[in-house]
Amino acid sequence: MNLDRLRWQFLLFSLCVAVLLAASFLGGAALLAQAYQGHSLPALNRLLSHAGRHPLDFYLDKLHTLLAFGLMLWLVFTATAALALHRLRRPPGPGSDWLDYLIFALYAAAFLGFLAYFGTEESWYRIDQIMAYEGRPPFQHRVLFIFPAQLMQYAMPQLGVIQSYLWSQLLAVVLMLWAVRRLAGLFIRSDLAFVGQALALCMWAPTLNYYTFYDIGIIFVFAFCLYHLLRREWLPYLLMLAAGTFNHEITLFLIVASAVMLLGTMPWRTLAGLLAVQLALYGLVRLLLFSLLPAQQAWEGGKLMFNLHLLRDEPRVLLYSLGPLLLWYALAATGWRHAPALLRRCVIILPCLFVMTAVVGQFNESRQFDAFIPVAMALMLCALNARLGAAAVRLPAGGGGWRAATFLAGTPEGKA
């Protein structure tokens, strides 16, 4: 790959986007106002031909939101690409340097910026009610990151519930970025693993709708558990499986993924014992939650009919919600042929999420698929790794694991 050519292409692309964003910020509102009145370009006039259903301010607000979203993504992309190109011009370093910490801080700030700017508090998920354990099913059992918010409010009583919530999510973001980087390091050389953090951010951002205590935590739990599953490090995996169930009951799909991943790679009795331990831990946590926070049901009913209604009567809503996610999944699919067999088996999480969303979730909320973000990120890194030829750094063999180089090479140790 010609890095000099790639660098100039990146500079040209980033500059063009910057000029487009600047022009949109300066003249976009005036152009939109003219189109709203039918005095602009014919294409724009036709686009807003039915705009009378809402006042002009409604569309101006949409425009400003879209531009702010684009600006934040552009900053993340530019910083990520610049650092990646800088790192590709040198041999991989033995450890982290100040640029790793700087890009980590940028990603954390971007996550919090997206959350504070684009997130909303909705009537069905009031932060004060959730912190008082008064949420309706299934929200009242997703408590892991409620504890940090309560601690912040206790330590600093002047903080409001939203501020306490955002501080708790900062903890979730830091943990998630750390876990994602470790997982990314299995599929690309370690000094480029920050690209996985950027991909996770870009996939998560379009799924943001309303405040929850658990969405970012889901990405953290799945990235952490998949990392240790791939390395066959059972103790940290089992501990996080139990802790993550306090965040969201969706950790059940990690048990499914572990069964599919390990099938044929270990004796039947060992696999059955491991699955039994996981199910026991999961069941104990769920039983404890229902005992401490009694509830008549684990989820809301009627979701299947609601999803059928969306599919039949409101396909545009589904397109707006799932469209960006499907584009990311299409990009992730390019890494399938480069991915090791065990990573391919992790894709079983996606159909599990689809079935769950159809039965007890809502397809108009793309956040239902956040648990697949670590897998999609890893697949994209496999494609990038093949494109750049940036092989993952060799990791020492642990007592219960294998060498990352062997695993990534798809040798019999890593094949089904």
Side-chain angles (χ1 to χ4, degrees):
M1 173 172 289
N2 190 325
L3 290 181
D4 289 330
R5 180 181 178 185
L6 186 62
R7 182 182 63 174
W8 284 110
Q9 289 174 341
F10 154 68
L11 289 174
L12 180 60
F13 174 79
S14 187
L15 181 61
C16 289
V17 173
V19 170
L20 180 61
L21 286 172
S24 299
F25 273 110
L26 293 174
L31 184 63
L32 183 63
Q34 291 179 347
Y36 185 83
Q37 299 167 359
H39 300 152
S40 183
L41 299 174
L44 291 177
N45 293 339
R46 287 195 299 271
L47 185 63
L48 293 180
S49 59
H50 301 290
R53 294 177 296 177
H54 300 287
L56 176 60
D57 287 343
F58 172 85
Y59 296 99
L60 291 175
D61 181 66
K62 293 290 186 184
L63 175 65
H64 292 153
T65 299
L66 181 63
L67 290 177
F69 190 88
L71 176 62
M72 294 175 72
L73 285 184
W74 174 78
L75 289 172
V76 169
F77 167 80
T78 300
T80 302
L83 182 55
L85 288 170
H86 169 70
R87 293 276 172 85
L88 284 169
R89 298 179 68 87
R90 66 175 197 185
S96 300
D97 60 23
W98 67 273
L99 290 175
D100 289 295
Y101 299 109
L102 182 62
I103 201 77
F104 187 99
L106 173 65
Y107 294 151
F111 265 99
L112 266 292
F114 275 114
L115 197 61
Y117 190 87
F118 299 105
T120 59
E121 184 183 27
E122 300 295 348
S123 59
W124 59 86
Y125 196 93
R126 294 291 303 273
I127 299 299
D128 55 347
Q129 294 176 358
I130 296 297
M131 289 179 63
Y133 303 107
E134 297 174 354
R136 65 189 190 187
F139 304 129
Q140 81 274 32
H141 287 164
R142 301 169 183 174
V143 298
L144 185 61
F145 286 98
I146 294 178
F147 304 141
Q150 292 173 325
L151 182 62
M152 286 299 303
Q153 203 166 45
Y154 176 80
M156 303 177 67
Q158 69 273 21
L159 287 180
V161 292
I162 299 300
Q163 288 76 19
S164 300
Y165 161 78
L166 290 174
W167 275 108
S168 76
Q169 293 307 287
L170 176 60
L171 174 62
V173 165
V174 169
L175 290 172
M176 183 273 297
L177 288 173
W178 167 72
V180 164
R181 184 183 176 95
R182 290 205 309 163
L183 180 63
L186 294 178
F187 303 99
I188 200 166
R189 75 188 211 193
S190 60
D191 64 334
L192 296 178
F194 66 89
V195 176
Q197 297 170 320
L199 291 173
L201 169 60
C202 292
M203 281 187 281
W204 167 82
T207 72
L208 175 61
N209 187 1
Y210 58 90
Y211 292 147
T212 73
F213 274 100
Y214 51 84
D215 281 342
I216 296 173
I218 288 174
I219 305 174
F220 158 59
V221 170
F222 271 71
F224 184 100
C225 287
L226 289 174
Y227 172 82
H228 289 287
L229 263 179
L230 290 169
R231 293 170 58 93
R232 299 196 181 189
E233 296 170 348
W234 307 126
L235 182 58
Y237 166 72
L238 292 172
L239 290 175
M240 184 53 68
L241 177 70
T245 305
F246 285 100
N247 181 68
H248 200 293
E249 63 277 8
I250 206 173
T251 48
L252 180 65
F253 298 149
L254 282 169
I255 304 177
V256 176
S258 69
V260 174
M261 290 169 63
L262 300 172
L263 185 64
T265 67
M266 63 169 49
W268 277 97
R269 289 185 178 181
T270 305
L271 178 57
L274 179 62
L275 294 177
V277 171
Q278 293 180 71
L279 289 170
L281 286 173
Y282 181 86
L284 286 173
V285 172
R286 296 295 290 157
L287 181 62
L288 179 62
L289 286 170
F290 274 98
S291 299
L292 296 177
L293 301 171
Q296 295 181 345
Q297 59 188 34
W299 55 76
E300 289 183 318
K303 297 298 186 179
L304 182 58
M305 295 307 298
F306 177 84
N307 287 317
L308 290 175
H309 161 72
L310 285 177
L311 183 62
R312 183 181 66 249
D313 301 325
E314 299 186 58
R316 183 178 296 182
V317 173
L318 291 180
L319 179 62
Y320 289 157
S321 173
L322 300 179
L325 204 60
L326 293 176
L327 292 176
W328 282 114
Y329 287 175
L331 187 59
T334 63
W336 177 266
R337 66 191 181 96
H338 304 292
L342 289 180
L343 179 59
R344 295 182 187 181
R345 293 188 177 201
C346 294
V347 175
I348 189 63
I349 293 172
L350 184 57
C352 290
L353 292 171
F354 181 88
V355 173
M356 177 208 69
T357 304
V359 177
V360 299
Q362 297 181 188
F363 279 115
N364 62 319
E365 294 184 359
S366 55
R367 40 177 291 278
Q368 304 278 350
F369 297 90
D370 281 351
F372 191 68
I373 285 177
V375 180
M377 176 272 297
L379 287 170
M380 282 185 267
L381 288 182
C382 288
L384 182 62
N385 184 58
R387 174 72 174 166
L388 297 178
V393 175
R394 269 58 171 171
L395 298 176
W402 57 83
R403 293 188 182 275
T406 304
F407 159 63
L408 291 170
T411 58
E413 226 180 322
K415 290 183 179 179

